[in-house]
């Protein structure tokens, strides 16, 4: 048994026997700037009651040097993941003196040396179970405690944790910071960050409550941080959630820190929220990028209540925090900030993630069966986030917004600082709505799959047809031409349960069967509506209606019901006129994917060239300095890595001959240069020259990717070996090697590694962290012309770890879909 992979059953037994009171964690980070030093001292003191004579603590690190139980030094019984404790009393104090390891994978305490100024930065990331890489702990969400962190760090560093410092002792070149004790929280949301971060401060006040705000980032990125907008969204969010939840923000301060080489979008550590630096643009940024950042800020803020204040008992109920936060991120964006069209991009992009995940053979209910930590790690997916949020949006339409928020208020009041399950939430929603939520839960939270809604016309008139029948409340939108515009003429509300529901519809050029996007279901356009869309999509005024049309077209293309070439023709005709930057970004990404994966092999070269030409034309025709101009420039650079036909035009952009208003910032310059390298039109010397101009963390990652993208067999082979075998690679550098290996879709250069891929899987899963192993398994999955090789591996490895098999099964399903769709169109 892998003792690091905790199970639901054994943690439930531990929870029943242990009551944790206080945990004190002392960390010595003074040696972090020394690159040769791989670890740090960590001393954990745990005070807890026990009804059993033995238990274990979780810790993964370099060594455990001393264990003291109730004042008595004990022999160390540590297997690399668990520290066994015996002869416990009713009340216990345990001290563990150990050495943790600095991380390069983004798990635990991650260390980054900034090449721009040679400064060192640290931050922690734990969810679901990596606090044990920093301290000895009870690594499960239902054993909450009050944590006190004490950190020794170099003088001049910003040192942060969940609470504000209570005492600072300055020494010669070092400082000791002791933070105030936290309120009861789970181990996975404790946090530390340390380094010479640049800080912008602010505050939020409401009545007698005053919350200090902070926005932090590396010094080399400080000039690019849009701190005032971030603080504005933060204040708007605190206003909104304080009113909505009727429970004052409980965590004392609100720091938000942007960190390098981050595995997630963000993490809801109370009082110290971490974000990926991808939300900081080093040059131009679209409004869609800022909207996404605002949405994430509000998503994480919602977690201060959903997840931090009230926490799921075990990872089965992960949705109790993530579905609600995903819903609240969009809802609060639309209700409280300038990004009022948040539900528009949700309809196209977030729900597409959910639909894709829900069509996999590994799909699961929103309330999932999570037997262990490996399963938990893989369930941060489109079901838990976007499907859950979609279903909650439908619930709000069903019970009303007032009842929904009143249920949330009662939920917080009843369970503050505790742990809950689905039943606890349903009890509150049932009480305030006067409806039995059990039936709704059974239909939506405890089932898998989705309906596909379509209209069919026959002798009996119109029928609203749904596959996989379940209850829906929908609005049918009826649109017609008004001069050169397409506008909504009427809307009909319908409740459906059965497979076929008769509806009476007036004549319309376009009919949307999930108008306003109230329910979770794929939709299909009837033939007349599809023809209208082909002709007039970009004249449709309502952005949410356009999002629903784009979504329907994409779903039909993925399912093989709409020829990919027909879809791409619609994109080429109407995307240049799309004024919503969030929709445009999603459509461009989908179109590029369709060219590479859904167009039949015999047509791909022509479609690739047509797409490349279309992106170039749209780039030059876009309004100067507009979001559309930047979006098309990025799309052109991406397309140019698959076809050298417009390499001279790429070179012209790099040489400064760009459309008026287009800023060729460092990131776009790297993208353009990498495209040239990938098609053999630029050299390693040019990469080196660009790196000299942009010798930053981002620049070094981009250079690594560009060099690995060179179209030479020995270069791709070197990238393959580096990614699999160099365990010192950071998570971002690993991604760069994988991207370079696959660059340009050159199967002729890499197909010889297909067999080696499958040969490496089991050992990689056993020896690498789950985050790194997951990147390797997904990133290198071969795009073969049949599923024979993956089918053979699955047949021969039925006893492989279930989480590994899940990843392979999902990649096999993506491949099978692509093969099936292409074959149908050939």
């Amino acid at each position: 048994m892998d003792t690091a992979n905790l199970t639901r059953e054994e943690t439930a037994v531990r929870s029943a026997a242990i009551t944790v009171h206080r945990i004190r964690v002392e960390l010595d980070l003074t040696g972090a700037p020394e690159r040769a030093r791989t670890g740090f001292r960590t001393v954990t003191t745990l005070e807890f009651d026990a009804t059993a004579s033995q238990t274990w603590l979780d810790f993964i690190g370099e060594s455990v040097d001393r264990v003291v139980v109730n004042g008595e030094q004990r022999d160390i019984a540590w297997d690399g993941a668990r520290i066994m404790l015996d002869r416990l009393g009713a009340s216990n104090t345990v001290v563990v003196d150990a050495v943790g390891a600095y991380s390069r994978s983004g798990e635990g305490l991650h260390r980054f040396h900034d090449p721009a100024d040679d400064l060192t930065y640290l931050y922690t990331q734990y969810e679901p179970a990596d606090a044990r890489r920093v301290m000895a702990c009870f690594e499960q969400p239902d054993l909450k405690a009050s944590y006190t962190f004490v950190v020794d760090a170099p003088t001049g560093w910003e040192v942060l944790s969940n609470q504000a410092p209570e005492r600072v002792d300055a020494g010669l070149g070092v400082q000791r910071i002791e933070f105030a004790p936290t309120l009861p929280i789970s181990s996975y949301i404790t946090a530390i960050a340390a380094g010479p971060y640049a800080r912008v401060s602010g505050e939020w006040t409401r009545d007698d409550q005053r919350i200090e705000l902070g926005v932090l980032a590396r010094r080399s990125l400080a000039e690019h941080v849009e701190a005032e907008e971030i603080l504005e969204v933060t204040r708007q969010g605190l206003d909104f959630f304080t009113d909505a939840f009727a429970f004052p923000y409980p965590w004392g301060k609100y720091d938000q820190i942007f960190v390098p080489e981050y595995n997630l979008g963000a993490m809801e550590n109370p009082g110290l929220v971490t974000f990926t630096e991808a939300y900081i643009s080093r040059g131009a940024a679209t409004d869609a990028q800022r909207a996404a950042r605002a949405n994430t800020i509000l998503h994480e803020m919602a977690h201060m209540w959903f997840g931090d204040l009230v926490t799921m008992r075990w990872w089965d109920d992960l949705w109790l925090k993530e579905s609600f936060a995903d819903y609240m991120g969009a809802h609060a964006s639309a209700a409280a900030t300038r990004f009022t069209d948040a539900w528009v991009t949700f309809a196209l992009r977030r729900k597409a993630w959910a639909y894709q995940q829900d069509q996999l053979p590994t799909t699961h209910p929103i309330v999932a069966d999570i037997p262990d930590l490996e399963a938990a790690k893989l369930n941060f997916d489109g079901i838990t986030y976007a499907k859950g949020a979609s279903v909650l949006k439908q619930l709000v339409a069903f019970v009303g917004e007032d009842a929904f928020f009143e249920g949330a208020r009662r939920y917080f009041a009843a369970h503050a600082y505790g742990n809950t399950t689905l039943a606890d939430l349903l009890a509150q929603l049932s009480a305030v709505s006067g409806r039995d939520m059990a039936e709704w839960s059974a239909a939506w939270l405890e089932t898998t799959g989705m309906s596909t809604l379509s209209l069919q016309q026959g002798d009996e008139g119109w029928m609203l047809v749904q596959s996989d029948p379940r209850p829906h409340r929908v609005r049918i939108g009826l649109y017609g031409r008004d001069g050169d515009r397409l506008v909504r003429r009427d809307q009909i509300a319908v409740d459906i349960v059965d497979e076929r529901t008769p509806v009476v519809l007036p004549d319309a050029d376009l009919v949307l069967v999930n108008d306003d996007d109230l329910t979770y279901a794929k939709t299909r356009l009837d033939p007349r509506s599809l023809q209208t869309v082909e002709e007039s999509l970009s004249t449709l005024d309502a952005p949410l209606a356009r999002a629903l049309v784009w979504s329907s077209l994409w779903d039909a293309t993925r399912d093989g019901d709409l020829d990919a070439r027909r879809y791409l023709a619609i994109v080429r005709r109407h995307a240049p006129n799309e004024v919503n930057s969030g929709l445009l970004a999603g459509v461009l990404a989908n179109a590029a994917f369709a060219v590479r994966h859904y167009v039949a092999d015999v047509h791909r070269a022509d479609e690739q060239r047509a797409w490349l030409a279309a992106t170039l034309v749209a780039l030059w025709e876009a309004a100067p300095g507009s979001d559309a101009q930047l979006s098309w420039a990025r799309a052109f650079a991406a397309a140019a890595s698959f076809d050298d036909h417009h390499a001279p035009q790429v070179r012209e952009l790099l040489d400064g001959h760009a459309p008026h208003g287009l800023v060729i910032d460092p990131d776009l310059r790297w993208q353009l240069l990498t495209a040239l390298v990938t098609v053999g039109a630029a050299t390693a010397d040019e990469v080196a020259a660009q790196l000299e101009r942009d010798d930053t963390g981002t620049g070094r990652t981009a250079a690594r990717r560009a060099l690995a993208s060179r179209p030479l067999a020995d270069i791709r082979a070197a990238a393959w070996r580096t990614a699999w075998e160099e365990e010192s690679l950071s998570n971002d550098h690993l991604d760069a090697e994988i991207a370079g290996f696959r660059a340009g879709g050159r199967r002729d250069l890499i197909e010889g590694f297909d067999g080696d891929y499958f040969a490496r899987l089991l050992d990689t899963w056993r020896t690498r962290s789950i985050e790194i192993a997951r990147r390797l398994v997904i990133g290198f999955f071969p795009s073969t012309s049949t599923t024979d090789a993956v089918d053979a591996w699955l047949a021969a490895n039925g006893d492989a770890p279930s989480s590994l098999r899940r990843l392979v099964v999902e990649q096999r399903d993506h491949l099978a879909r692509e093969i099936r769709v292409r074959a149908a169109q050939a």
Side-chain angles (χ1 to χ4, degrees), residues 351-624:
K351 291 184 81 169
W353 181 29
Y355 295 150
Q356 175 179 303
Q357 192 83 39
D358 217 3
Q359 289 178 276
L360 292 172
T362 57
T363 188
H364 57 85
I366 294 171
V367 180
D369 177 32
I370 306 294
D372 55 38
L373 286 180
E374 285 192 0
K377 179 76 172 179
L378 298 185
N379 259 44
F380 290 82
D381 60 15
I383 302 296
T384 302
Y385 284 74
K387 180 178 181 180
S390 302
V391 168
L392 289 176
K393 186 182 181 188
Q394 176 183 312
L395 175 65
V396 173
F398 183 58
V399 304
E401 189 171 306
D402 291 343
F404 176 77
F405 278 97
E406 179 58 27
R409 295 181 193 113
R410 296 188 184 188
Y411 177 69
F412 297 137
H415 302 288
Y417 308 108
N419 296 86
T420 59
T421 65
L422 167 65
D424 298 307
L425 177 67
L426 294 184
Q428 301 299 334
L429 290 174
S430 295
V432 298
S433 68
R435 302 172 184 264
D436 183 359
M437 289 289 104
E439 184 177 345
W440 172 81
S441 174
W444 290 103
L445 301 181
E446 301 166 51
T447 60
T448 62
M450 78 209 78
S451 306
T452 298
L453 307 180
S454 61
L455 283 168
Q456 296 179 6
Q457 190 172 30
D459 295 338
E460 301 176 352
W462 286 102
M463 285 285 178
L464 181 53
V465 180
Q466 65 163 321
S467 64
D468 192 9
R470 63 190 72 203
H472 298 272
R473 172 164 292 178
V474 299
R475 295 171 185 161
I476 300 175
L478 302 135
Y479 293 78
R481 290 184 172 87
D482 182 7
D484 60 353
R485 311 305 299 166
L486 196 57
V487 299
R488 185 162 67 192
R489 302 289 196 190
D490 201 357
Q491 190 181 69
I492 300 172
V494 182
D495 286 335
I496 60 174
V497 176
D498 300 326
E499 181 178 354
R500 300 176 67 84
T501 302
V503 291
V504 178
L505 300 177
D507 184 65
D509 295 309
L510 168 64
V511 182
L512 295 182
V513 298
N514 186 25
D515 208 23
D516 293 339
D517 196 34
L518 294 185
T519 198
Y520 174 77
K522 294 190 298 180
T523 65
R524 291 288 187 266
L525 298 171
D526 65 87
R528 180 180 175 186
S529 294
L530 179 58
Q531 181 178 349
T532 299
V533 164
E534 286 185 299
E535 297 169 353
S536 307
L537 171 55
S538 52
T539 72
L540 185 58
D541 282 332
L544 182 55
R546 292 200 308 278
L548 295 173
V549 170
W550 283 121
S551 177
S552 180
L553 293 171
W554 178 239
D555 290 334
T557 303
R558 286 192 73 248
D559 292 345
D561 293 340
L562 178 67
D563 189 291
R565 289 181 295 165
R566 190 176 183 185
Y567 170 76
L568 288 166
I570 296 173
V571 174
R572 290 194 298 267
R573 179 172 182 175
H574 294 290
N577 298 313
E578 179 54 68
V579 296
N580 183 287
S581 61
L583 291 184
L584 180 59
V587 170
L588 294 181
N590 289 344
F593 193 90
V595 171
R596 298 306 311 164
H597 296 272
Y598 296 143
V599 172
D601 295 343
V602 67
H603 302 304
R604 184 172 301 116
D606 289 342
E607 287 295 331
Q608 177 64 55
R609 188 148 297 177
W611 176 240
L612 177 62
T615 60
L616 182 60
V617 170
L619 163 61
W620 281 92
E621 292 184 350

